[in-house]
Amino acid sequence: MNTRINHFLFGILLTAFVSGCVTKTVKEGAYQKAQWETKALIKDQRENKTQSLSIDIYAIKNERARLEITALLGFQVASLVMSPSEISYVIYPQKTFFYGRNSDRAFTRMIDLQLHPMNLTNIAFDEPVRGPGWKCSLDHTGFISQCENSQRGIRVNWLDRKEGQKKVVITAPQFEMQWHFSAPQTEVQFKTDLFTLKQPTGFKAIQIN
């Protein structure tokens, strides 16, 4: 697949950096921190290529998040750590470490998707996508069901909810992501350094903005 999508699809330094002591799985509802195991099918419509990825999410709502991304056979693609204002991520195939201010353009050099990366965790937490131009609606049960930014041509749909599981479809010009979530683990204890990502030895550092 186009390496730009490999790069975007946000990051993984596997579980050596990750700890979630999980004792409970919930169906749906309000919670402040959680972790998810997810699978994503990414379609690059411009290149007519598709890739399957595993994305593990560790997040504190509105504060911090870490995404760990692998391809088939556990191949490490990327690791990503972010807050609303800062972001850093490692792209393992290119041996590159990116860091800088978090914004809608944090990923534009890698993929044509103008979406603030913290919205990925908003999606996981069933929160509205935030930022200028976004409009969201609820389903009949009161859960978020769709967010759309008509100016950017981006739409997010929450589908197939069942016992905490769900499917989220993100579409944009020349891009589609079908994202399958397991039920969240909500009673978790994260290591203090979970939301810190350092430049690996031998990797090139690039400030993104």
Side-chain angles (χ1 to χ4, degrees), residues 31-130:
Y31 38 89
Q32 286 300 119
K33 60 182 180 178
Q35 68 183 62
W36 292 262
E37 294 180 357
T38 77
K39 302 289 185 182
L41 183 67
I42 310 301
K43 297 180 180 179
D44 180 350
Q45 296 170 350
R46 182 180 291 107
E47 299 291 334
N48 194 29
K49 294 181 180 179
T50 302
Q51 185 176 26
S52 296
L53 297 169
S54 296
I55 305 174
D56 293 335
I57 304 171
Y58 308 82
I60 302 172
K61 186 187 293 185
N62 300 325
E63 295 183 17
R64 294 279 178 179
R66 183 178 189 121
L67 279 65
E68 299 288 344
I69 302 157
T70 54
L72 294 176
L73 303 177
F75 176 75
Q76 292 177 295
V77 176
S79 294
L80 180 152
V81 167
M82 61 183 167
S83 70
S85 60
E86 297 179 344
I87 188 169
S88 58
Y89 48 97
V90 176
I91 306 299
Y92 295 102
Q94 286 199 346
K95 295 187 175 181
T96 306
F97 173 77
F98 296 88
Y99 68 98
R101 183 173 58 86
N102 206 357
S103 71
D104 288 357
R105 301 186 62 81
F107 287 126
T108 53
R109 67 179 61 201
M110 292 169 287
I111 189 169
D112 188 17
L113 183 65
Q114 294 188 40
L115 183 72
H116 194 291
M118 282 297 290
N119 278 315
L120 299 175
T121 58
N122 291 339
I123 289 169
F125 278 109
D126 294 320
E127 294 283 322
V129 176
R130 298 169 188 165

Side-chain angles (χ1 to χ4, degrees), residues 41 56-57 92 104 116 145 147 177-178 182 185 187 201 205:
L41 183 67
D56 293 335
I57 304 171
Y92 295 102
D104 288 357
H116 194 291
S145 63
C147 290
M177 178 176 181
Q178 298 184 21
S182 62
Q185 310 281 3
E187 291 190 2
T201 302

Side-chain angles (χ1 to χ4, degrees), residues 84-204:
S85 60
E86 297 179 344
I87 188 169
S88 58
Y89 48 97
V90 176
I91 306 299
Y92 295 102
Q94 286 199 346
K95 295 187 175 181
T96 306
F97 173 77
F98 296 88
Y99 68 98
R101 183 173 58 86
N102 206 357
S103 71
D104 288 357
R105 301 186 62 81
F107 287 126
T108 53
R109 67 179 61 201
M110 292 169 287
I111 189 169
D112 188 17
L113 183 65
Q114 294 188 40
L115 183 72
H116 194 291
M118 282 297 290
N119 278 315
L120 299 175
T121 58
N122 291 339
I123 289 169
F125 278 109
D126 294 320
E127 294 283 322
V129 176
R130 298 169 188 165
W134 284 96
K135 295 182 179 180
C136 299
S137 57
L138 307 178
D139 63 18
H140 69 282
T141 65
F143 282 100
I144 194 78
S145 63
Q146 179 178 291
C147 290
E148 185 173 11
N149 190 314
S150 57
Q151 292 181 338
R152 297 180 180 179
I154 306 174
R155 178 181 297 172
V156 181
N157 289 96
W158 286 255
L159 306 168
D160 302 338
R161 295 183 184 276
K162 184 179 180 181
E163 297 182 348
Q165 302 177 51
K166 64 193 173 195
K167 175 183 177 181
V168 177
V169 178
I170 304 173
T171 56
Q174 306 299 322
F175 171 85
E176 180 180 281
M177 178 176 181
Q178 298 184 21
W179 203 0
H180 296 267
F181 286 74
S182 62
Q185 310 281 3
T186 61
E187 291 190 2
V188 291
Q189 296 178 357
F190 296 136
K191 287 183 177 180
T192 56
D193 62 350
L194 174 63
F195 301 111
T196 301
L197 188 62
K198 297 180 179 180
Q199 177 184 352
T201 302
F203 280 47
K204 181 180 180 180

